[in-house]
Amino acid sequence: MRGLSQLAARCAGLLVLAATSAWAQQEELWLESRSAAPVPGQLVLKKGRPYLLTMQGTFTVWGNNVVPGAQSGQPEPAPMFPSPGVPNRNVAVDPEFVFAGVKAPGTAPLRSNAIQISLDGGKTWKHPASTASFNSTDHKYAYELMGEDNALQVRIADKPVTDNFGRLKLFVLPAEELWLETRSAAPVPSQLVLKKGTPYRVTMQGTFNVWGNNIVPGAQSGQPEPAPMFPSPGVPNRNVGFDPEFAFAGVKAPGTAPVRHGPIQVSLDGGKTWKHPASTASFNATDHRYTYELVGEDNALQVRFSDNPVSDNSGRVQIFLLPGA
């Protein structure tokens, strides 16, 4: 093993597809640290759609047992998922950290970029972004990815791989997709039940109008866009001045566009209470896309459009729901 940062090697493994519900197929991949071939998924990650990648396991990148030390770290006696046909050795690396065998002046655990992914068909490779702390309990980490119309590929960047030992288990989960029609007051429920105390991420994107007429542009009131990003079916197009988080046109004096606007509301308690999710995001004039952090309450997510009447509205909002990364 010459170094975890080298980009010379690739990994292979097993692949399993597991149906989890009507809205999602969870794909399972196995990454063998002793192989230099990339592991391709079967699921094509659609461009612009979020996916959750989880990686779990422990491995070693050295041919000998790792010596423990107060600064260099404490190895674990065997891999979580052993490589078949190979004698057990202790392990020091998981998908995100080197937790033993760290050389001075470093102190364990240290972040590792040994596991790399490609979203563009193998043209570019990188370790997925993470701010997670070291997980010494189950060595499991979650990463949010954005599809590029290719299958996910995963590899280990290490050379040689012949002295490695241990496998990683990976799952790829598509986000649940919901569509909110601004011309309807009916709540839209998810199929996914949000477990109590568990974090989730909701992404909303789109533009709409809440008036029956076109919006008049103005230096202070804002500049409307000519049509909804996702039009309401069967309704003539009108210009739009709203997105999930802001009114960016049609703002009345003394206000100045853009201003926060919360007609899209969520419920986490089965429809008992409703509110617009908290956000500190700035106005996104480019793609009108915003992400919100929610915590489950053992109910499905419900989303509704709070406006009266809704019959003069125009435009839909696309919503993606994922467990938190």
Side-chain angles (χ1 to χ4, degrees), residues 271-293:
K272 297 174 185 175
T273 60
W274 294 86
K275 65 179 180 179
H276 183 73
S279 173
T280 58
S282 300
F283 174 52
N284 184 346
T286 304
D287 58 14
H288 298 284
R289 184 173 186 148
Y290 304 89
T291 298
Y292 306 89
E293 308 290 337

mmCIF file with all atom_site columns, all heavy atoms in Angstrom, residues 271-293:
data_model
loop_
_atom_site.group_PDB
_atom_site.id
_atom_site.type_symbol
_atom_site.label_atom_id
_atom_site.label_alt_id
_atom_site.label_comp_id
_atom_site.label_asym_id
_atom_site.label_entity_id
_atom_site.label_seq_id
_atom_site.pdbx_PDB_ins_code
_atom_site.Cartn_x
_atom_site.Cartn_y
_atom_site.Cartn_z
_atom_site.occupancy
_atom_site.B_iso_or_equiv
_atom_site.pdbx_formal_charge
_atom_site.auth_seq_id
_atom_site.auth_comp_id
_atom_site.auth_asym_id
_atom_site.auth_atom_id
_atom_site.pdbx_PDB_model_num
ATOM 1   N N   . GLY A 1 271 ? -51.227 15.942 9.663   1.00 0.00 ? 271 GLY A N   1
ATOM 2   C CA  . GLY A 1 271 ? -52.162 16.982 9.253   1.00 0.00 ? 271 GLY A CA  1
ATOM 3   C C   . GLY A 1 271 ? -52.738 17.809 10.376  1.00 0.00 ? 271 GLY A C   1
ATOM 4   O O   . GLY A 1 271 ? -53.600 18.661 10.134  1.00 0.00 ? 271 GLY A O   1
ATOM 5   N N   . LYS A 1 272 ? -52.259 17.608 11.620  1.00 0.00 ? 272 LYS A N   1
ATOM 6   C CA  . LYS A 1 272 ? -52.780 18.384 12.742  1.00 0.00 ? 272 LYS A CA  1
ATOM 7   C C   . LYS A 1 272 ? -52.285 19.821 12.710  1.00 0.00 ? 272 LYS A C   1
ATOM 8   O O   . LYS A 1 272 ? -53.034 20.761 12.990  1.00 0.00 ? 272 LYS A O   1
ATOM 9   C CB  . LYS A 1 272 ? -52.383 17.713 14.062  1.00 0.00 ? 272 LYS A CB  1
ATOM 10  C CG  . LYS A 1 272 ? -52.970 16.319 14.252  1.00 0.00 ? 272 LYS A CG  1
ATOM 11  C CD  . LYS A 1 272 ? -52.411 15.665 15.507  1.00 0.00 ? 272 LYS A CD  1
ATOM 12  C CE  . LYS A 1 272 ? -52.878 14.224 15.646  1.00 0.00 ? 272 LYS A CE  1
ATOM 13  N NZ  . LYS A 1 272 ? -52.240 13.547 16.798  1.00 0.00 ? 272 LYS A NZ  1
ATOM 14  N N   . THR A 1 273 ? -51.005 19.987 12.409  1.00 0.00 ? 273 THR A N   1
ATOM 15  C CA  . THR A 1 273 ? -50.437 21.328 12.341  1.00 0.00 ? 273 THR A CA  1
ATOM 16  C C   . THR A 1 273 ? -49.699 21.499 11.016  1.00 0.00 ? 273 THR A C   1
ATOM 17  O O   . THR A 1 273 ? -49.164 20.534 10.458  1.00 0.00 ? 273 THR A O   1
ATOM 18  C CB  . THR A 1 273 ? -49.451 21.592 13.500  1.00 0.00 ? 273 THR A CB  1
ATOM 19  O OG1 . THR A 1 273 ? -48.365 20.646 13.433  1.00 0.00 ? 273 THR A OG1 1
ATOM 20  C CG2 . THR A 1 273 ? -50.161 21.457 14.833  1.00 0.00 ? 273 THR A CG2 1
ATOM 21  N N   . TRP A 1 274 ? -49.679 22.755 10.554  1.00 0.00 ? 274 TRP A N   1
ATOM 22  C CA  . TRP A 1 274 ? -49.063 23.073 9.264   1.00 0.00 ? 274 TRP A CA  1
ATOM 23  C C   . TRP A 1 274 ? -48.172 24.307 9.401   1.00 0.00 ? 274 TRP A C   1
ATOM 24  O O   . TRP A 1 274 ? -48.505 25.230 10.144  1.00 0.00 ? 274 TRP A O   1
ATOM 25  C CB  . TRP A 1 274 ? -50.139 23.366 8.214   1.00 0.00 ? 274 TRP A CB  1
ATOM 26  C CG  . TRP A 1 274 ? -50.987 22.182 7.874   1.00 0.00 ? 274 TRP A CG  1
ATOM 27  C CD1 . TRP A 1 274 ? -52.111 21.763 8.530   1.00 0.00 ? 274 TRP A CD1 1
ATOM 28  C CD2 . TRP A 1 274 ? -50.773 21.258 6.807   1.00 0.00 ? 274 TRP A CD2 1
ATOM 29  N NE1 . TRP A 1 274 ? -52.623 20.633 7.935   1.00 0.00 ? 274 TRP A NE1 1
ATOM 30  C CE2 . TRP A 1 274 ? -51.813 20.298 6.864   1.00 0.00 ? 274 TRP A CE2 1
ATOM 31  C CE3 . TRP A 1 274 ? -49.817 21.153 5.797   1.00 0.00 ? 274 TRP A CE3 1
ATOM 32  C CZ2 . TRP A 1 274 ? -51.915 19.257 5.956   1.00 0.00 ? 274 TRP A CZ2 1
ATOM 33  C CZ3 . TRP A 1 274 ? -49.912 20.112 4.892   1.00 0.00 ? 274 TRP A CZ3 1
ATOM 34  C CH2 . TRP A 1 274 ? -50.946 19.175 4.976   1.00 0.00 ? 274 TRP A CH2 1
ATOM 35  N N   . LYS A 1 275 ? -47.064 24.314 8.677   1.00 0.00 ? 275 LYS A N   1
ATOM 36  C CA  . LYS A 1 275 ? -46.204 25.505 8.661   1.00 0.00 ? 275 LYS A CA  1
ATOM 37  C C   . LYS A 1 275 ? -45.276 25.429 7.454   1.00 0.00 ? 275 LYS A C   1
ATOM 38  O O   . LYS A 1 275 ? -45.016 24.339 6.911   1.00 0.00 ? 275 LYS A O   1
ATOM 39  C CB  . LYS A 1 275 ? -45.384 25.618 9.944   1.00 0.00 ? 275 LYS A CB  1
ATOM 40  C CG  . LYS A 1 275 ? -44.379 24.490 10.142  1.00 0.00 ? 275 LYS A CG  1
ATOM 41  C CD  . LYS A 1 275 ? -43.593 24.688 11.434  1.00 0.00 ? 275 LYS A CD  1
ATOM 42  C CE  . LYS A 1 275 ? -42.580 23.547 11.633  1.00 0.00 ? 275 LYS A CE  1
ATOM 43  N NZ  . LYS A 1 275 ? -41.801 23.727 12.871  1.00 0.00 ? 275 LYS A NZ  1
ATOM 44  N N   . HIS A 1 276 ? -44.803 26.593 7.053   1.00 0.00 ? 276 HIS A N   1
ATOM 45  C CA  . HIS A 1 276 ? -43.761 26.629 6.029   1.00 0.00 ? 276 HIS A CA  1
ATOM 46  C C   . HIS A 1 276 ? -42.441 26.234 6.681   1.00 0.00 ? 276 HIS A C   1
ATOM 47  O O   . HIS A 1 276 ? -42.110 26.725 7.766   1.00 0.00 ? 276 HIS A O   1
ATOM 48  C CB  . HIS A 1 276 ? -43.646 28.033 5.428   1.00 0.00 ? 276 HIS A CB  1
ATOM 49  C CG  . HIS A 1 276 ? -42.655 28.120 4.317   1.00 0.00 ? 276 HIS A CG  1
ATOM 50  N ND1 . HIS A 1 276 ? -42.881 27.588 3.069   1.00 0.00 ? 276 HIS A ND1 1
ATOM 51  C CD2 . HIS A 1 276 ? -41.416 28.663 4.274   1.00 0.00 ? 276 HIS A CD2 1
ATOM 52  C CE1 . HIS A 1 276 ? -41.828 27.809 2.302   1.00 0.00 ? 276 HIS A CE1 1
ATOM 53  N NE2 . HIS A 1 276 ? -40.923 28.457 3.005   1.00 0.00 ? 276 HIS A NE2 1
ATOM 54  N N   . PRO A 1 277 ? -41.666 25.321 6.071   1.00 0.00 ? 277 PRO A N   1
ATOM 55  C CA  . PRO A 1 277 ? -40.426 24.884 6.709   1.00 0.00 ? 277 PRO A CA  1
ATOM 56  C C   . PRO A 1 277 ? -39.406 26.017 6.805   1.00 0.00 ? 277 PRO A C   1
ATOM 57  O O   . PRO A 1 277 ? -39.340 26.890 5.937   1.00 0.00 ? 277 PRO A O   1
ATOM 58  C CB  . PRO A 1 277 ? -39.927 23.766 5.787   1.00 0.00 ? 277 PRO A CB  1
ATOM 59  C CG  . PRO A 1 277 ? -40.580 24.023 4.474   1.00 0.00 ? 277 PRO A CG  1
ATOM 60  C CD  . PRO A 1 277 ? -41.903 24.649 4.787   1.00 0.00 ? 277 PRO A CD  1
ATOM 61  N N   . ALA A 1 278 ? -38.619 25.983 7.863   1.00 0.00 ? 278 ALA A N   1
ATOM 62  C CA  . ALA A 1 278 ? -37.636 27.040 8.112   1.00 0.00 ? 278 ALA A CA  1
ATOM 63  C C   . ALA A 1 278 ? -36.528 27.015 7.074   1.00 0.00 ? 278 ALA A C   1
ATOM 64  O O   . ALA A 1 278 ? -36.082 25.955 6.633   1.00 0.00 ? 278 ALA A O   1
ATOM 65  C CB  . ALA A 1 278 ? -37.046 26.875 9.512   1.00 0.00 ? 278 ALA A CB  1
ATOM 66  N N   . SER A 1 279 ? -36.084 28.205 6.684   1.00 0.00 ? 279 SER A N   1
ATOM 67  C CA  . SER A 1 279 ? -34.995 28.328 5.718   1.00 0.00 ? 279 SER A CA  1
ATOM 68  C C   . SER A 1 279 ? -34.261 29.646 5.936   1.00 0.00 ? 279 SER A C   1
ATOM 69  O O   . SER A 1 279 ? -34.872 30.664 6.253   1.00 0.00 ? 279 SER A O   1
ATOM 70  C CB  . SER A 1 279 ? -35.532 28.283 4.284   1.00 0.00 ? 279 SER A CB  1
ATOM 71  O OG  . SER A 1 279 ? -34.513 28.552 3.341   1.00 0.00 ? 279 SER A OG  1
ATOM 72  N N   . THR A 1 280 ? -32.948 29.605 5.736   1.00 0.00 ? 280 THR A N   1
ATOM 73  C CA  . THR A 1 280 ? -32.138 30.821 5.728   1.00 0.00 ? 280 THR A CA  1
ATOM 74  C C   . THR A 1 280 ? -31.534 31.052 4.346   1.00 0.00 ? 280 THR A C   1
ATOM 75  O O   . THR A 1 280 ? -30.644 31.893 4.182   1.00 0.00 ? 280 THR A O   1
ATOM 76  C CB  . THR A 1 280 ? -31.009 30.728 6.767   1.00 0.00 ? 280 THR A CB  1
ATOM 77  O OG1 . THR A 1 280 ? -30.195 29.579 6.477   1.00 0.00 ? 280 THR A OG1 1
ATOM 78  C CG2 . THR A 1 280 ? -31.574 30.595 8.173   1.00 0.00 ? 280 THR A CG2 1
ATOM 79  N N   . ALA A 1 281 ? -32.014 30.311 3.343   1.00 0.00 ? 281 ALA A N   1
ATOM 80  C CA  . ALA A 1 281 ? -31.460 30.396 1.991   1.00 0.00 ? 281 ALA A CA  1
ATOM 81  C C   . ALA A 1 281 ? -31.717 31.757 1.369   1.00 0.00 ? 281 ALA A C   1
ATOM 82  O O   . ALA A 1 281 ? -32.740 32.403 1.628   1.00 0.00 ? 281 ALA A O   1
ATOM 83  C CB  . ALA A 1 281 ? -32.074 29.313 1.109   1.00 0.00 ? 281 ALA A CB  1
ATOM 84  N N   . SER A 1 282 ? -30.791 32.183 0.551   1.00 0.00 ? 282 SER A N   1
ATOM 85  C CA  . SER A 1 282 ? -30.974 33.396 -0.236  1.00 0.00 ? 282 SER A CA  1
ATOM 86  C C   . SER A 1 282 ? -31.831 33.086 -1.456  1.00 0.00 ? 282 SER A C   1
ATOM 87  O O   . SER A 1 282 ? -32.004 31.921 -1.844  1.00 0.00 ? 282 SER A O   1
ATOM 88  C CB  . SER A 1 282 ? -29.615 33.940 -0.681  1.00 0.00 ? 282 SER A CB  1
ATOM 89  O OG  . SER A 1 282 ? -28.801 34.240 0.428   1.00 0.00 ? 282 SER A OG  1
ATOM 90  N N   . PHE A 1 283 ? -32.370 34.140 -2.062  1.00 0.00 ? 283 PHE A N   1
ATOM 91  C CA  . PHE A 1 283 ? -33.187 33.980 -3.263  1.00 0.00 ? 283 PHE A CA  1
ATOM 92  C C   . PHE A 1 283 ? -32.368 33.305 -4.365  1.00 0.00 ? 283 PHE A C   1
ATOM 93  O O   . PHE A 1 283 ? -31.261 33.736 -4.687  1.00 0.00 ? 283 PHE A O   1
ATOM 94  C CB  . PHE A 1 283 ? -33.689 35.342 -3.733  1.00 0.00 ? 283 PHE A CB  1
ATOM 95  C CG  . PHE A 1 283 ? -34.428 35.312 -5.043  1.00 0.00 ? 283 PHE A CG  1
ATOM 96  C CD1 . PHE A 1 283 ? -35.487 34.435 -5.244  1.00 0.00 ? 283 PHE A CD1 1
ATOM 97  C CD2 . PHE A 1 283 ? -34.050 36.154 -6.084  1.00 0.00 ? 283 PHE A CD2 1
ATOM 98  C CE1 . PHE A 1 283 ? -36.169 34.400 -6.455  1.00 0.00 ? 283 PHE A CE1 1
ATOM 99  C CE2 . PHE A 1 283 ? -34.721 36.132 -7.294  1.00 0.00 ? 283 PHE A CE2 1
ATOM 100 C CZ  . PHE A 1 283 ? -35.783 35.245 -7.482  1.00 0.00 ? 283 PHE A CZ  1
ATOM 101 N N   . ASN A 1 284 ? -32.916 32.248 -4.929  1.00 0.00 ? 284 ASN A N   1
ATOM 102 C CA  . ASN A 1 284 ? -32.252 31.482 -5.989  1.00 0.00 ? 284 ASN A CA  1
ATOM 103 C C   . ASN A 1 284 ? -32.913 31.803 -7.322  1.00 0.00 ? 284 ASN A C   1
ATOM 104 O O   . ASN A 1 284 ? -33.873 31.153 -7.734  1.00 0.00 ? 284 ASN A O   1
ATOM 105 C CB  . ASN A 1 284 ? -32.339 29.989 -5.686  1.00 0.00 ? 284 ASN A CB  1
ATOM 106 C CG  . ASN A 1 284 ? -31.583 29.133 -6.679  1.00 0.00 ? 284 ASN A CG  1
ATOM 107 O OD1 . ASN A 1 284 ? -31.195 29.595 -7.741  1.00 0.00 ? 284 ASN A OD1 1
ATOM 108 N ND2 . ASN A 1 284 ? -31.376 27.877 -6.333  1.00 0.00 ? 284 ASN A ND2 1
ATOM 109 N N   . ALA A 1 285 ? -32.400 32.829 -7.990  1.00 0.00 ? 285 ALA A N   1
ATOM 110 C CA  . ALA A 1 285 ? -32.997 33.261 -9.249  1.00 0.00 ? 285 ALA A CA  1
ATOM 111 C C   . ALA A 1 285 ? -32.648 32.340 -10.407 1.00 0.00 ? 285 ALA A C   1
ATOM 112 O O   . ALA A 1 285 ? -33.266 32.411 -11.473 1.00 0.00 ? 285 ALA A O   1
ATOM 113 C CB  . ALA A 1 285 ? -32.526 34.681 -9.577  1.00 0.00 ? 285 ALA A CB  1
ATOM 114 N N   . THR A 1 286 ? -31.671 31.469 -10.216 1.00 0.00 ? 286 THR A N   1
ATOM 115 C CA  . THR A 1 286 ? -31.212 30.609 -11.306 1.00 0.00 ? 286 THR A CA  1
ATOM 116 C C   . THR A 1 286 ? -32.137 29.420 -11.522 1.00 0.00 ? 286 THR A C   1
ATOM 117 O O   . THR A 1 286 ? -32.665 29.219 -12.618 1.00 0.00 ? 286 THR A O   1
ATOM 118 C CB  . THR A 1 286 ? -29.779 30.117 -11.029 1.00 0.00 ? 286 THR A CB  1
ATOM 119 O OG1 . THR A 1 286 ? -28.931 31.233 -10.824 1.00 0.00 ? 286 THR A OG1 1
ATOM 120 C CG2 . THR A 1 286 ? -29.265 29.290 -12.190 1.00 0.00 ? 286 THR A CG2 1
ATOM 121 N N   . ASP A 1 287 ? -32.343 28.620 -10.478 1.00 0.00 ? 287 ASP A N   1
ATOM 122 C CA  . ASP A 1 287 ? -33.185 27.424 -10.658 1.00 0.00 ? 287 ASP A CA  1
ATOM 123 C C   . ASP A 1 287 ? -34.317 27.315 -9.647  1.00 0.00 ? 287 ASP A C   1
ATOM 124 O O   . ASP A 1 287 ? -35.034 26.316 -9.632  1.00 0.00 ? 287 ASP A O   1
ATOM 125 C CB  . ASP A 1 287 ? -32.344 26.152 -10.660 1.00 0.00 ? 287 ASP A CB  1
ATOM 126 C CG  . ASP A 1 287 ? -31.537 25.972 -9.379  1.00 0.00 ? 287 ASP A CG  1
ATOM 127 O OD1 . ASP A 1 287 ? -31.809 26.671 -8.383  1.00 0.00 ? 287 ASP A OD1 1
ATOM 128 O OD2 . ASP A 1 287 ? -30.641 25.120 -9.376  1.00 0.00 ? 287 ASP A OD2 1
ATOM 129 N N   . HIS A 1 288 ? -34.513 28.343 -8.783  1.00 0.00 ? 288 HIS A N   1
ATOM 130 C CA  . HIS A 1 288 ? -35.660 28.386 -7.852  1.00 0.00 ? 288 HIS A CA  1
ATOM 131 C C   . HIS A 1 288 ? -35.780 27.082 -7.069  1.00 0.00 ? 288 HIS A C   1
ATOM 132 O O   . HIS A 1 288 ? -36.855 26.514 -6.912  1.00 0.00 ? 288 HIS A O   1
ATOM 133 C CB  . HIS A 1 288 ? -36.955 28.678 -8.620  1.00 0.00 ? 288 HIS A CB  1
ATOM 134 C CG  . HIS A 1 288 ? -36.943 30.000 -9.309  1.00 0.00 ? 288 HIS A CG  1
ATOM 135 N ND1 . HIS A 1 288 ? -37.112 31.190 -8.654  1.00 0.00 ? 288 HIS A ND1 1
ATOM 136 C CD2 . HIS A 1 288 ? -36.754 30.325 -10.635 1.00 0.00 ? 288 HIS A CD2 1
ATOM 137 C CE1 . HIS A 1 288 ? -37.048 32.199 -9.520  1.00 0.00 ? 288 HIS A CE1 1
ATOM 138 N NE2 . HIS A 1 288 ? -36.813 31.695 -10.721 1.00 0.00 ? 288 HIS A NE2 1
ATOM 139 N N   . ARG A 1 289 ? -34.658 26.636 -6.553  1.00 0.00 ? 289 ARG A N   1
ATOM 140 C CA  . ARG A 1 289 ? -34.593 25.355 -5.833  1.00 0.00 ? 289 ARG A CA  1
ATOM 141 C C   . ARG A 1 289 ? -34.095 25.614 -4.410  1.00 0.00 ? 289 ARG A C   1
ATOM 142 O O   . ARG A 1 289 ? -33.104 26.316 -4.201  1.00 0.00 ? 289 ARG A O   1
ATOM 143 C CB  . ARG A 1 289 ? -33.646 24.406 -6.569  1.00 0.00 ? 289 ARG A CB  1
ATOM 144 C CG  . ARG A 1 289 ? -33.567 23.019 -5.981  1.00 0.00 ? 289 ARG A CG  1
ATOM 145 C CD  . ARG A 1 289 ? -32.731 22.137 -6.892  1.00 0.00 ? 289 ARG A CD  1
ATOM 146 N NE  . ARG A 1 289 ? -32.740 20.766 -6.437  1.00 0.00 ? 289 ARG A NE  1
ATOM 147 C CZ  . ARG A 1 289 ? -32.657 19.708 -7.230  1.00 0.00 ? 289 ARG A CZ  1
ATOM 148 N NH1 . ARG A 1 289 ? -32.571 19.877 -8.539  1.00 0.00 ? 289 ARG A NH1 1
ATOM 149 N NH2 . ARG A 1 289 ? -32.651 18.493 -6.741  1.00 0.00 ? 289 ARG A NH2 1
ATOM 150 N N   . TYR A 1 290 ? -34.784 24.993 -3.433  1.00 0.00 ? 290 TYR A N   1
ATOM 151 C CA  . TYR A 1 290 ? -34.466 25.206 -2.024  1.00 0.00 ? 290 TYR A CA  1
ATOM 152 C C   . TYR A 1 290 ? -34.530 23.865 -1.284  1.00 0.00 ? 290 TYR A C   1
ATOM 153 O O   . TYR A 1 290 ? -35.364 23.014 -1.603  1.00 0.00 ? 290 TYR A O   1
ATOM 154 C CB  . TYR A 1 290 ? -35.433 26.206 -1.386  1.00 0.00 ? 290 TYR A CB  1
ATOM 155 C CG  . TYR A 1 290 ? -35.476 27.530 -2.116  1.00 0.00 ? 290 TYR A CG  1
ATOM 156 C CD1 . TYR A 1 290 ? -36.364 27.728 -3.168  1.00 0.00 ? 290 TYR A CD1 1
ATOM 157 C CD2 . TYR A 1 290 ? -34.601 28.565 -1.788  1.00 0.00 ? 290 TYR A CD2 1
ATOM 158 C CE1 . TYR A 1 290 ? -36.394 28.924 -3.869  1.00 0.00 ? 290 TYR A CE1 1
ATOM 159 C CE2 . TYR A 1 290 ? -34.622 29.765 -2.479  1.00 0.00 ? 290 TYR A CE2 1
ATOM 160 C CZ  . TYR A 1 290 ? -35.519 29.940 -3.524  1.00 0.00 ? 290 TYR A CZ  1
ATOM 161 O OH  . TYR A 1 290 ? -35.545 31.120 -4.216  1.00 0.00 ? 290 TYR A OH  1
ATOM 162 N N   . THR A 1 291 ? -33.654 23.723 -0.288  1.00 0.00 ? 291 THR A N   1
ATOM 163 C CA  . THR A 1 291 ? -33.609 22.498 0.505   1.00 0.00 ? 291 THR A CA  1
ATOM 164 C C   . THR A 1 291 ? -33.937 22.824 1.958   1.00 0.00 ? 291 THR A C   1
ATOM 165 O O   . THR A 1 291 ? -33.452 23.819 2.509   1.00 0.00 ? 291 THR A O   1
ATOM 166 C CB  . THR A 1 291 ? -32.234 21.826 0.402   1.00 0.00 ? 291 THR A CB  1
ATOM 167 O OG1 . THR A 1 291 ? -31.984 21.465 -0.960  1.00 0.00 ? 291 THR A OG1 1
ATOM 168 C CG2 . THR A 1 291 ? -32.179 20.568 1.250   1.00 0.00 ? 291 THR A CG2 1
ATOM 169 N N   . TYR A 1 292 ? -34.753 21.961 2.569   1.00 0.00 ? 292 TYR A N   1
ATOM 170 C CA  . TYR A 1 292 ? -35.212 22.157 3.938   1.00 0.00 ? 292 TYR A CA  1
ATOM 171 C C   . TYR A 1 292 ? -34.895 20.911 4.771   1.00 0.00 ? 292 TYR A C   1
ATOM 172 O O   . TYR A 1 292 ? -35.037 19.783 4.285   1.00 0.00 ? 292 TYR A O   1
ATOM 173 C CB  . TYR A 1 292 ? -36.725 22.408 3.964   1.00 0.00 ? 292 TYR A CB  1
ATOM 174 C CG  . TYR A 1 292 ? -37.168 23.545 3.073   1.00 0.00 ? 292 TYR A CG  1
ATOM 175 C CD1 . TYR A 1 292 ? -37.503 23.324 1.739   1.00 0.00 ? 292 TYR A CD1 1
ATOM 176 C CD2 . TYR A 1 292 ? -37.243 24.851 3.556   1.00 0.00 ? 292 TYR A CD2 1
ATOM 177 C CE1 . TYR A 1 292 ? -37.911 24.372 0.917   1.00 0.00 ? 292 TYR A CE1 1
ATOM 178 C CE2 . TYR A 1 292 ? -37.640 25.900 2.739   1.00 0.00 ? 292 TYR A CE2 1
ATOM 179 C CZ  . TYR A 1 292 ? -37.973 25.648 1.421   1.00 0.00 ? 292 TYR A CZ  1
ATOM 180 O OH  . TYR A 1 292 ? -38.370 26.681 0.604   1.00 0.00 ? 292 TYR A OH  1
ATOM 181 N N   . GLU A 1 293 ? -34.502 21.134 6.006   1.00 0.00 ? 293 GLU A N   1
ATOM 182 C CA  . GLU A 1 293 ? -34.210 20.044 6.945   1.00 0.00 ? 293 GLU A CA  1
ATOM 183 C C   . GLU A 1 293 ? -35.432 19.821 7.841   1.00 0.00 ? 293 GLU A C   1
ATOM 184 O O   . GLU A 1 293 ? -35.917 20.752 8.481   1.00 0.00 ? 293 GLU A O   1
ATOM 185 C CB  . GLU A 1 293 ? -32.989 20.385 7.800   1.00 0.00 ? 293 GLU A CB  1
ATOM 186 C CG  . GLU A 1 293 ? -31.756 20.808 7.015   1.00 0.00 ? 293 GLU A CG  1
ATOM 187 C CD  . GLU A 1 293 ? -31.124 19.678 6.237   1.00 0.00 ? 293 GLU A CD  1
ATOM 188 O OE1 . GLU A 1 293 ? -31.346 18.499 6.616   1.00 0.00 ? 293 GLU A OE1 1
ATOM 189 O OE2 . GLU A 1 293 ? -30.398 19.957 5.263   1.00 0.00 ? 293 GLU A OE2 1
#
